[in-house]
Amino acid sequence: MCLLLPVFPADLAAQTTEPPWEERTIQAHVDQKNLRGELPPLVLEELRRRGEQLFTAKFTPSDGAGRPAATQAAIPTKRDIPADQLFHRGGGPDANACSGCHNQPAIGGAGDFVTNIFINESSNDERAPMPNPSFANERGTTHIFGAGLIELLAREMTADLQAIRRETIQRAARDQTEITAELETKGIDFGTIGVSPDGAIDTTNIEGIDPDLVIKPFGQKGVFSSLREFTVHVLNHHHGMQANERFGFEQTGELDFDGDGVVTEFSDGDVSAMVAWQAGLTPPRLLDPDDERWKTAALNGEVLFGRLGCTSCHVRALPLENLRFSDPGPVGSQGTLSRADVPEVATYDLSNLTWASGLPRDDQGRVLVPLFGDLKRHRIAVGKEPLGNELLPQRGVEPGVFLTAELWGLASTGPYGHRNDYVTIDGIIRAHGGEALAAAKAYAKTTGDERSALIAYLKTLIISPGE
């Protein structure tokens, strides 16, 4: 059954025909055909409500949970050996609900060490013993508050970088000379490209991003370009819930690719609802402590944060031009609904959400997104340095190289590190290596009072979803 939008909350119950004791969670699917143009605030509210329902839903086999004939791979892949159980901690499925892991300090938040997952997107054999770093990389759950702002920043930065490439190609052809161009957007340096008169591009000196110049702000390695791509991937990986846009008949030639007896597990509209909910999540904020001692210490810690060099990666804020979030977005990816697949994209104006009015702005009216990150990959471990525990690359990103972790919300989302195995902020700072080794050493040389002040500052980076 499809839920036709636009609708109002009262209409939703009328769409439900299953008895209330039915052991399934999804009793109506959202129809993507009705999601087009700028959605009125009430319709967006209803769509986001549906998205939250799906995010917290405990999926059952009647919904399509499980994938007995398919693996966790990003590209639809059959198992070598059929699964003999629903859950598997190694290659998944490993959770009933998204909120089973994303729950600290609220739904959409981070997870404790116990929620760690294991990532290997290419294996066809999920019977390997776990944990096994030769088989999979172990990762902690990160929060997704403010995710819509992060994706909008990534889209604008991608557009800037690709415009630089396009203009450099044109200049090289016009002047018949080789040109080197700097790749910089919003104050973040991504290296350089070289372009020959014939249009050949040298990508050797690109830094912290793939040669396609697409900012990929999701996943700890920075390999997912959009909430939509990430959602489609993790639904299959963690729940065995297969989205039509990647696993449907048009993509795989099969009505039930994972062989679990359920044909429509997640419609295009269902994914859109989850994207709309995630995109509108309240961004973390900076706490203004009531305790005068804390306030004074935090002010001193902020100064030290810059002096130690932390802001070279953990940039306090990046400017955002526009709060209009479109879905599908401008950057497509294989196996994800694209703009070419819909008659008209849906647009969600995030400025209509209650938290938007409190966002800081610069003198040009741009929103200053206080992410404490740069949406760029950096090497934070060399060899057997503390954070160098992974053995496998992910989508071409080497072990020891990770997307800068956005620190907003840090105080509300411990433990820390890509494996959630550092229980204090002091511990994770000291663990930094690679490009961050100098800053970690400088921190270790500070006095106890200085370190305390820095922690006081970082402890003001909180998530308060109810405000």
Side-chain angles (χ1 to χ4, degrees):
M1 171 178 287
C2 285
L3 170 65
L4 302 177
L5 293 177
V7 298
F8 295 101
D11 297 320
L12 191 57
Q15 298 280 338
T16 302
T17 59
E18 300 286 355
W21 58 86
E22 182 71 20
E23 290 195 283
R24 61 182 298 155
T25 305
I26 303 177
Q27 298 184 355
H29 293 287
V30 179
D31 191 341
Q32 180 67 32
K33 293 179 182 178
N34 293 282
L35 301 179
R36 59 178 69 182
E38 184 161 336
L39 299 191
L42 283 178
V43 177
L44 176 58
E45 180 182 351
E46 171 65 7
L47 182 66
R48 294 193 65 244
R49 189 187 71 82
R50 177 61 176 160
E52 183 175 16
Q53 286 180 338
L54 292 169
F55 195 88
T56 57
K58 295 182 178 181
F59 302 118
T60 73
S62 296
D63 297 309
R67 39 180 166 78
T71 75
Q72 79 278 26
I75 298 173
T77 306
K78 294 288 190 180
R79 290 180 186 262
D80 289 340
I81 301 173
D84 58 0
Q85 59 190 41
L86 177 61
F87 292 117
H88 191 286
R89 287 291 291 140
D94 50 18
N96 254 140
C98 303
S99 57
C101 295
H102 291 278
N103 52 41
Q104 296 183 19
I107 301 303
D112 204 341
F113 182 83
V114 72
T115 69
N116 283 7
I117 54 93
F118 303 89
I119 296 176
N120 184 338
E121 297 179 358
S122 60
S123 175
N124 291 6
D125 183 1
E126 300 181 1
R127 298 176 304 157
M130 300 303 299
N132 184 340
S134 298
F135 174 78
N137 293 322
E138 185 177 359
R139 301 276 174 78
T141 303
T142 58
H143 79 80
I144 52 175
F145 285 95
L149 298 179
I150 295 292
E151 181 165 343
L152 288 176
L153 279 172
R155 292 179 185 185
E156 290 184 359
M157 294 169 76
T158 295
D160 288 348
L161 295 176
Q162 294 188 344
I164 292 171
R165 181 180 60 192
R166 185 169 56 252
E167 292 163 5
T168 305
I169 292 172
Q170 293 170 351
R171 284 172 50 212
R174 182 192 65 207
D175 300 341
Q176 283 298 293
T177 186
E178 188 169 317
I179 296 177
T180 298
E182 295 182 357
L183 295 170
E184 182 177 319
T185 170
K186 299 187 186 294
I188 309 301
D189 178 15
F190 290 92
T192 63
I193 54 170
V195 180
S196 301
D198 63 359
I201 302 175
D202 179 4
T203 61
T204 306
N205 295 314
I206 292 177
E207 299 175 1
I209 189 176
D210 291 332
D212 60 6
L213 302 185
V214 174
I215 302 287
K216 301 177 176 71
F218 300 115
Q220 295 197 40
K221 303 285 274 190
V223 295
F224 298 99
S225 62
S226 66
L227 283 170
R228 189 168 199 103
E229 180 187 10
F230 187 72
T231 298
V232 168
H233 176 74
V234 298
L235 280 169
N236 177 61
H237 189 295
H238 299 308
H239 312 297
M241 294 294 293
Q242 300 202 319
N244 280 359
E245 59 198 77
R246 181 168 298 180
F247 298 93
F249 183 80
E250 292 184 8
Q251 290 71 33
T252 64
E254 298 185 32
L255 292 173
D256 180 19
F257 184 80
D258 60 356
D260 62 3
V262 180
V263 174
T264 300
E265 300 182 9
F266 234 76
S267 72
D268 297 350
D270 292 337
V271 176
S272 295
M274 285 189 68
V275 168
W277 181 73
Q278 293 173 84
L281 283 174
T282 308
R285 68 177 182 88
L286 196 67
L287 173 70
D288 184 14
D290 293 329
D291 187 314
E292 289 300 323
R293 295 175 306 160
W294 187 355
K295 185 175 297 187
T296 300
L299 289 173
N300 293 332
E302 182 178 11
V303 174
L304 185 62
F305 187 73
R307 179 159 63 83
L308 293 177
C310 304
T311 54
S312 62
C313 297
H314 297 289
V315 180
R316 288 184 177 88
L318 295 180
L320 178 64
E321 303 282 351
N322 199 318
L323 286 173
R324 293 167 61 81
F325 188 99
S326 58
D327 184 43
V331 178
S333 56
Q334 185 178 5
T336 306
L337 197 71
S338 72
R339 291 187 166 184
D341 299 321
V342 296
E344 184 181 5
V345 300
T347 301
Y348 320 135
D349 189 348
L350 302 187
S351 67
N352 290 328
L353 299 179
T354 54
W355 50 258
S357 60
L359 292 171
R361 293 181 180 265
D362 63 13
D363 55 7
Q364 300 178 45
R366 299 178 300 182
V367 170
L368 295 175
V369 181
L371 74 167
F372 288 79
D374 60 2
L375 304 189
K376 178 180 177 180
R377 300 181 191 129
H378 295 273
R379 181 171 292 282
I380 61 167
V382 178
K384 294 185 178 180
E385 289 180 339
L387 296 176
N389 61 302
E390 293 194 352
L391 301 179
L392 303 175
Q394 184 181 4
R395 301 195 186 187
V397 183
E398 300 174 33
V401 176
F402 289 85
L403 186 73
T404 298
E406 290 97 31
L407 299 186
W408 62 349
L410 181 75
S412 303
T413 54
Y416 309 107
H418 58 261
R419 191 170 168 265
N420 272 358
D421 52 355
Y422 288 87
V423 296
T424 65
I425 296 174
D426 175 81
I428 189 60
I429 294 174
R430 293 175 184 272
H432 280 58
E435 295 176 46
L437 182 59
K441 286 183 174 180
Y443 170 80
K445 292 179 180 179
T446 59
T447 67
D449 286 344
E450 287 176 321
R451 291 193 293 275
S452 178
L454 182 59
I455 301 302
Y457 174 54
L458 295 175
K459 283 286 190 178
T460 65
L461 306 181
I462 66 168
I463 293 171
S464 53
E467 298 182 7

